[in-house]
Amino acid sequence: MSTSIEVRNPATGERIQEVNVQTTEEIQTAIEKGHKEFKKWSKINAHERSRLLQEWSQRIQENKEEIAKVMTMENGKPLSESLGEVNYATSYIDWYAGEALRVYGRTVPAAAESKRIVISRQPIGLVAAITPWNFPAAMMTRKAAPALAAGCTFIVKPAEDTPLTTMTLVKLAHEAGIPKDAIQYVNGKGSVVGPLFTESKLIRKITFTGSTPVGKSLIKGSADTVKHVTMELGGHAPLIIAEDADIDLAVNQTIFSKYRNAGQTCVCVNRILVHESVEDEFAEKFTKAVAKLSVGNGLDEGTDIGPIINEKGFDKVVAQVNDAIEKGAEVLTGNEYVVDREKGYYFIHPTVLRNVDASMEIMQEETFGPVAPITSFKTLEEAIEIANNTPYGLAAYFFTENYKTGMYLHDHLDFGIIGWNDGAPSAAHAPFGGMKDSGLGREGGTEGIEPYLETKYLSVGNLLD
Ligand code: ADP
């Protein structure tokens, strides 16, 4: 096993920093420390835990320019998006600093005068998180904040491409006063660290954001120790534009949803379904706006689209585009690449494809790149059928000015997150998560702290009347 990871800037291929990879023994020690600390951290009163979370959030805000720069350097996203992500990341900490104070129990009327039924909640124990490279700050805080708020201790393994943001956030948590062993990170390959987490009896929960195959392997690996799992997995988001949609709004929101983070988010629009009566108008306005997006280094002002994270990601997107073109898709803009495989950078100009159909890979698989395929439909039923015809069920979007159409689409789309005239539905105060192969459980909102709590029921008998 290698003893370090070279973190590289995906915009230039240059090495930024080398970080240590923890050995198996070091990871086991971290797990033991987290488990031991649980006894202390879970006993600290909720008001104090809340205060420490607020302090953490404030430290992150005080250092946000520096964190955003590190994030852009390791992930490639434009600096303005990195700053936006830091705010998004602290919004989870702020929200769960509040929720820490609202972990309530219940009493239930008993069926006998001499009995009392009391239901209480307690933290489940040490939590292990595995996070992805596309949102190195927010995917970590939306797991760490509810875990710490609930009274759990936390250990995270960030993605190999982007460990630096996580390391900075953990350091700031310690500076804010959160005990060292209550929040820890370990670095290493997912395939090595994953089994150490799943097989450990000391870890009571795995929370993961990443690809569906890895999520499934973590669920299987968690079976023997009957761990709790939260899984935020892949998506294949449809975006439906009805005949009465506000087209300018649809263009604007689709651009945000599709091209943010160079199309590398699990809630990115992956399939654009437009009613045939407005397809020409949408395709024309959308293509014109997309062609104006500028591609470059995220540190340069004015960059809208940064690089693709790595060669594997790039090759997958290009294969999907080539497959679509071979099968008859028309390129409206893009399909240009700036690549240096030796140096290690991969840029894809924002691309729009028309005349796509279900035979093309791009309509079947998550793309994770700045490519928008457009297809048309005649009836809402047809649009719903195309939209739902996927194993995934994370996010879906639709545009209509008609409330009946809107509620009908809402009721029939099998997705956990729905944006109606809204390409940016994620928020710390709302439950984020998917159906089917897109995952299990929700993060954010009041729902997001539940997976870190056990329910305990006390039945008291033989009471005085
Ligand atoms: P992607 O293909 O987008 O990088 P992955 O699901 O492979 O998505 O990666 C998300 C996270 O999962 C990363 O932190 C990665 O290190 C980790 N990972 C990858 N393979 C495994 C595995 N077999 N077990 C556990 N974690 C893994």
Side-chain angles (χ1 to χ4, degrees), residues 265-376:
T265 91
C266 49
V267 291
C268 269
V269 173
N270 237 39
R271 301 169 286 158
I272 302 175
L273 318 176
V274 194
H275 189 269
E276 57 178 3
S277 65
V278 290
E279 191 193 0
D280 285 344
E281 183 189 352
F282 175 79
E284 193 184 312
K285 287 181 168 171
F286 183 65
T287 304
K288 215 166 144 189
V290 171
K292 287 191 190 138
L293 297 174
S294 74
V295 179
N297 187 326
L299 290 178
D300 296 340
E301 213 167 303
T303 294
D304 299 304
I305 311 269
I308 295 295
I309 189 74
N310 55 32
E311 187 170 32
K312 186 175 137 223
F314 172 79
D315 287 342
K316 183 181 168 202
V317 178
V318 174
Q320 284 194 1
V321 172
N322 290 342
D323 170 78
I325 294 170
E326 270 165 34
K327 291 175 180 160
E330 181 191 350
V331 178
L332 299 185
T333 185
N335 193 27
E336 286 168 38
Y337 310 106
V338 179
V339 178
D340 189 326
R341 286 187 191 266
E342 210 138 281
K343 290 200 171 118
Y345 58 77
Y346 309 87
F347 291 89
I348 299 178
H349 275 259
T351 300
V352 180
L353 302 175
R354 200 172 164 175
N355 297 334
V356 297
D357 63 43
S359 71
M360 302 170 185
E361 276 166 29
I362 201 157
M363 291 298 275
Q364 301 300 334
E365 275 301 317
E366 189 171 36
T367 301
F368 246 62
V371 181
I374 302 176
T375 189
S376 66

Side-chain angles (χ1 to χ4, degrees), residues 130-133 157-161 188-195 208-212 214-215 217-218 310 312 368:
I130 298 178
T131 54
W133 48 265
K157 188 211 84 68
E160 295 93 305
D161 287 312
K189 264 177 85 95
S191 55
V192 174
V193 182
F208 172 70
T209 298
S211 62
T212 295
V214 172
S217 78
L218 290 169
N310 55 32
K312 186 175 137 223
F368 246 62

Side-chain angles (χ1 to χ4, degrees), residues 7 253 463:
V7 186
Q253 294 293 298
L463 293 170

